[in-house]
């Protein structure tokens, strides 16, 4: 079985009092370190406090789990899907003796990269309602299990030149199914009265996802929302534990990944399309956020190879 790079657990010891699980320590390509599957998580009960840097999507198959996150208590029982965004603190985790679950761990950039235009559905619902607990039908539970088994199989059994594309297609299909339920959750939420802060955060994500040039000053987005940049960043931190600038970088970086890997545009054309003033600036930005030059990233080569 091929080891999955993403999971590097730091067990709670005297030398490591935080017990954090850090999933954000490697710059890796899609399906190489941005995705893992797990079905044995009871060891987490003795690792808190936790602060995972990835998204958790867990189906409770049997029993129940209770989680405390940022002083809010959540319960997940059989038939529930628990969705947790990154950078949340988990202060306490308790399982029933018969607890079983199936868990996907996915990085933000994998989710955004495979969802593309649907990523705002994920960000609107997952970050506003953190964590999310969704009760699904028995049919949906079976489908989750099918995706889990198939994706796990593809992760551990490599074969053929199209393996990566097949794996990403499966992940995209799974996430689109999940977005269908999230969208229904969001529809109920929109029928209720949202706080002004939540409305503004949602509008910011919508503006960012729909902008042709995402790499714009925070003052530009704040101006469109008729608020100050400082207030916009405060809202982003409150609802997502990310600054407005970090959101802009995330969306911009995923645009760069997409066009370098999935388009026939020249690097110069991509640079202009994404709003960079010159090739030198674009190259520096890509090196900073992707760890290699645009040409090296496009051809799958690392500067360190």
């Amino acid at each position: 079985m091929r080891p999955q790079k993403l999971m590097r657990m730091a067990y709670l010891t005297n030398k490591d009092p935080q017990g954090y699980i850090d999933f954000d320590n490697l710059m890796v390509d899609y399906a190489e370190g941005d995705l893992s599957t797990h079905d044995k998580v009871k060891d987490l009960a003795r690792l808190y406090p936790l602060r995972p840097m990835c998204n958790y999507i867990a189906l409770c198959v049997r029993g129940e789990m209770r989680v405390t996150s940022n002083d809010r208590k959540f319960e997940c029982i059989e038939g529930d899907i628990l969705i947790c965004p990154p950078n949340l603190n988990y202060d306490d985790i308790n399982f029933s003796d018969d607890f079983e679950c199936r868990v996907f761990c996915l990085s933000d950039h994998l989710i955004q990269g495979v969802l593309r235009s649907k990523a705002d559905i994920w960000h609107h619902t997952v970050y506003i309602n953190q964590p999310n607990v969704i009760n699904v039908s028995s049919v949906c539970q079976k489908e989750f299990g099918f995706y889990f088994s198939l994706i796990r199989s593809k992760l551990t059994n490599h074969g053929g030149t199209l393996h990566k594309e097949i794996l990403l297609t499966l992940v995209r299909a799974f996430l689109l199914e999940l977005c269908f339920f999230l969208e229904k959750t969001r529809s109920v939420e929109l029928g209720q009265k949202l706080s002004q802060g939540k409305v503004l955060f949602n509008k910011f994500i919508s503006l960012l996802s729909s902008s042709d040039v995402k790499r714009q000053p925070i003052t530009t987005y704040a101006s469109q929302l008729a608020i100050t940049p400082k207030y916009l960043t405060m809202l982003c931190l409150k609802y997502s534990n990310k600054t407005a600038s970090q959101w802009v970088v995330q969306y911009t970086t995923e645009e760069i990944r997409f066009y370098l890997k999935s388009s026939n545009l020249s690097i110069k054309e991509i640079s202009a399309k994404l709003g960079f003033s010159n090739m030198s600036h674009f190259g520096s930005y890509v090196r900073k956020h992707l760890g290699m030059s645009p040409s090296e990233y496009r051809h799958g080569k690392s500067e360190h190879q």
Side-chain angles (χ1 to χ4, degrees):
M1 180 179 291
R2 182 174 176 270
Q4 298 179 24
K5 296 180 182 178
L6 186 63
M7 283 298 288
R8 298 207 317 151
M9 285 194 178
Y11 285 94
L12 190 62
T13 66
N14 292 332
K15 293 182 179 180
D16 181 20
Q18 299 303 318
Y20 284 176
I21 299 177
D22 179 9
F23 300 102
D24 202 27
N25 48 55
L26 295 174
M27 182 63 242
V28 287
D29 201 0
Y30 291 156
E32 286 297 319
D34 295 330
L35 166 66
S36 65
T37 60
H38 310 280
D39 55 11
K40 300 183 186 302
V41 298
K42 287 191 176 182
D43 282 342
L44 292 176
R46 62 188 181 87
L47 289 181
Y48 65 85
L50 298 174
R51 188 182 175 87
M53 302 302 175
C54 69
N55 296 269
Y56 276 126
I57 306 172
L59 171 68
C60 180
V61 177
R62 185 176 292 109
E64 61 182 318
M65 174 178 67
R66 292 186 178 88
V67 179
T68 301
S69 174
N70 296 341
D71 295 325
R72 295 174 61 195
K73 296 183 183 298
F74 298 88
E75 183 180 56
C76 187
I77 62 174
E78 182 176 335
D80 286 346
I81 292 179
L82 174 67
I83 306 174
C84 302
N87 298 309
L88 287 184
N89 293 316
Y90 297 94
D91 306 307
D92 197 6
I93 305 174
N94 292 287
F95 306 96
S96 63
D97 291 338
D98 60 343
F99 179 74
E100 288 185 32
C101 72
R102 307 286 183 266
V103 184
F104 287 103
C105 298
L106 303 98
S107 71
D108 262 348
H109 87 70
L110 175 60
I111 290 175
Q112 188 171 322
V114 298
L115 284 179
R116 296 288 295 160
S117 63
K118 302 295 184 182
D120 63 322
I121 296 174
W122 177 272
H123 293 145
H124 280 309
T125 54
V126 171
Y127 279 94
I128 286 293
N129 301 309
Q130 45 181 302
N132 293 254
V133 178
I134 305 169
N135 187 261
V136 297
S137 67
S138 58
V139 173
C140 295
Q141 293 172 47
K142 288 181 181 179
E143 289 180 350
F144 188 109
F146 292 150
Y147 278 116
F148 183 87
S149 298
L150 191 51
I151 290 172
R152 166 169 277 194
S153 175
K154 292 298 180 183
L155 275 172
T156 55
N157 298 291
H158 283 205
T161 57
L162 296 178
H163 175 267
K164 177 180 170 182
E165 285 75 12
I166 293 171
L167 178 56
L168 292 180
T169 300
L170 289 172
V171 172
R172 175 174 167 79
F174 167 68
L175 289 174
L176 285 174
E177 294 261 23
L178 196 55
C179 279
F180 171 75
F181 290 103
L182 292 176
E183 208 163 25
K184 291 202 299 185
T185 301
R186 186 182 172 202
S187 296
V188 172
E189 180 188 72
L190 290 176
Q192 303 168 353
K193 186 176 181 180
L194 296 181
S195 70
Q196 182 66 11
K198 288 184 179 181
V199 170
L200 288 169
F201 175 76
N202 278 339
K203 285 183 177 179
F204 169 64
I205 294 297
S206 294
L207 282 173
L208 184 55
S209 63
S210 62
S211 296
D212 291 332
V213 176
K214 304 184 189 308
R215 186 177 163 275
Q216 301 182 56
I218 300 305
T219 52
T220 300
Y221 289 109
S223 176
Q224 293 178 62
L225 296 170
I227 59 177
T228 66
K230 183 177 180 180
Y231 186 54
L232 175 57
T233 289
M234 185 198 76
L235 291 175
C236 290
L237 284 170
K238 178 178 180 180
Y239 293 113
S240 70
N241 289 317
K242 296 181 184 179
T243 66
S245 295
Q246 287 172 324
W247 275 110
V248 171
V249 168
Q250 179 177 317
Y251 269 83
T252 301
T253 302
E254 289 314 314
E255 288 287 280
I256 292 171
R257 290 181 194 274
F258 174 77
Y259 284 111
L260 286 177
K261 288 291 191 180
S262 306
S263 80
N264 294 321
L265 296 176
S266 69
I267 291 175
K268 183 177 181 179
E269 289 171 328
I270 295 171
S271 173
K273 183 178 181 67
L274 299 183
F276 288 86
S277 57
N278 55 63
M279 285 281 288
S280 176
H281 193 190
F282 179 66
S284 297
Y285 190 93
V286 175
R287 284 181 183 275
K288 178 179 179 180
H289 295 290
L290 295 181
M292 60 189 76
S293 71
S295 178
E296 287 168 333
Y297 188 81
R298 167 162 271 182
H299 297 101
K301 296 178 181 179
S302 169
E303 288 181 311
H304 304 296
Q305 288 180 327

